[in-house]
């Protein structure tokens, strides 16, 4: 387990939801002066090495956050050693992570919205087949998660 908090956001492709969550978390952590490692990954292999979806980049930029230099990667068992919190964007990815998780790992594995009061158990919907408005909704909801996670880290 790392000594400083280390947060990994995980979706399916690592080009839409988890890079937005990573960008939102970086912005909130910086604003609040919280020191933590932040990264994102996908459970699927299709977008390894790819930049975030252009729609995700535009939405983040509209909110003052640059995510264009992020690159897709696939989650691995090693991530359960490197990160203290592994945060799934939906239940399909939570189930995939439970399979990758090494026995005895102490990393906390939860849905992002489990950290948001009143939203436990809810998923962040995949905007990939939607339009830019769906990416705006994704930004709103991952920002709620980022605020809640930073509040938790501040209180620890
Ligand atoms: P994400 O969205 O999991 O939020 O990055 C997706 C991006 C790509 C694919 C699926 C979901 N895909 O099948 O390529």
């Amino acid at each position: 387990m790392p000594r400083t908090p280390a947060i990994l956001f995980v979706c399916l492709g690592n080009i839409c939801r988890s890079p937005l969550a990573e960008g939102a978390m970086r912005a909130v952590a910086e604003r609040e002066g919280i020191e933590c490692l932040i990264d994102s990954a996908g459970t699927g292999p299709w977008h390894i090495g790819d930049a975030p979806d252009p729609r995700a980049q535009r939405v983040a930029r509209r909110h003052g956050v640059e995510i264009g230099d992020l690159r897709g990667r696939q989650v691995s068992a090693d991530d359960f050693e490197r990160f203290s919190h592994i945060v799934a964007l939906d239940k399909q990815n939570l189930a995939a992570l439970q399979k990758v998780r090494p026995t005895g790992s102490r990393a906390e594995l939860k849905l992002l919205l489990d950290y948001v009061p009143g939203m436990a158990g809810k998923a962040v919907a995949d905007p990939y087949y939607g339009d830019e408005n769906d990416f705006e909704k994704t930004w709103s909801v991952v920002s709620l998660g980022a605020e809640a996670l930073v509040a938790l880290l501040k209180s620890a």
Side-chain angles (χ1 to χ4, degrees):
M1 282 281 259
R3 273 194 295 135
T4 46
I7 319 292
L8 180 68
F9 297 100
V10 184
C11 64
L12 186 58
N14 193 209
I15 55 166
C16 301
R17 291 166 292 177
S18 61
L20 285 172
E22 177 177 351
M25 183 78 183
R26 286 188 188 283
V28 179
E30 188 176 341
R31 186 194 76 207
E32 296 297 321
I34 290 291
E35 201 191 326
C36 59
L37 184 79
I38 304 164
D39 195 8
S40 63
T43 56
W46 313 285
H47 296 285
I48 294 170
D50 290 354
D53 187 287
R55 298 165 294 178
Q57 293 191 44
R58 282 196 294 273
V59 165
R61 204 167 289 134
R62 271 204 290 280
H63 293 274
V65 177
E66 183 55 50
I67 60 169
D69 54 351
L70 301 182
R71 291 294 177 269
R73 72 171 182 90
Q74 192 172 18
V75 75
S76 73
D78 286 352
D79 287 316
F80 284 85
E81 306 301 324
R82 295 177 48 220
F83 292 89
S84 55
H85 297 70
I86 301 204
V87 181
L89 275 288
D90 66 19
K91 288 175 198 174
Q92 176 195 348
N93 290 298
L94 180 65
L97 287 163
Q98 277 156 350
K99 289 194 186 138
V100 176
R101 175 183 209 152
T103 314
S105 162
R106 289 167 50 229
E108 182 165 284
L109 174 57
K110 283 193 182 198
L111 287 171
L112 177 64
L113 295 180
D114 284 347
Y115 294 101
V116 180
M119 295 185 86
K122 291 201 188 301
V124 178
D126 187 353
Y128 187 60
Y129 295 103
D131 59 22
E132 207 144 316
N133 192 41
D134 295 300
F135 281 76
E136 274 293 345
K137 288 184 195 151
T138 305
W139 176 265
S140 301
V141 74
V142 300
S143 294
L144 290 176
E147 294 283 355
L149 262 168
V150 169
L152 179 77
L153 297 180
K154 274 179 91 170
S155 69

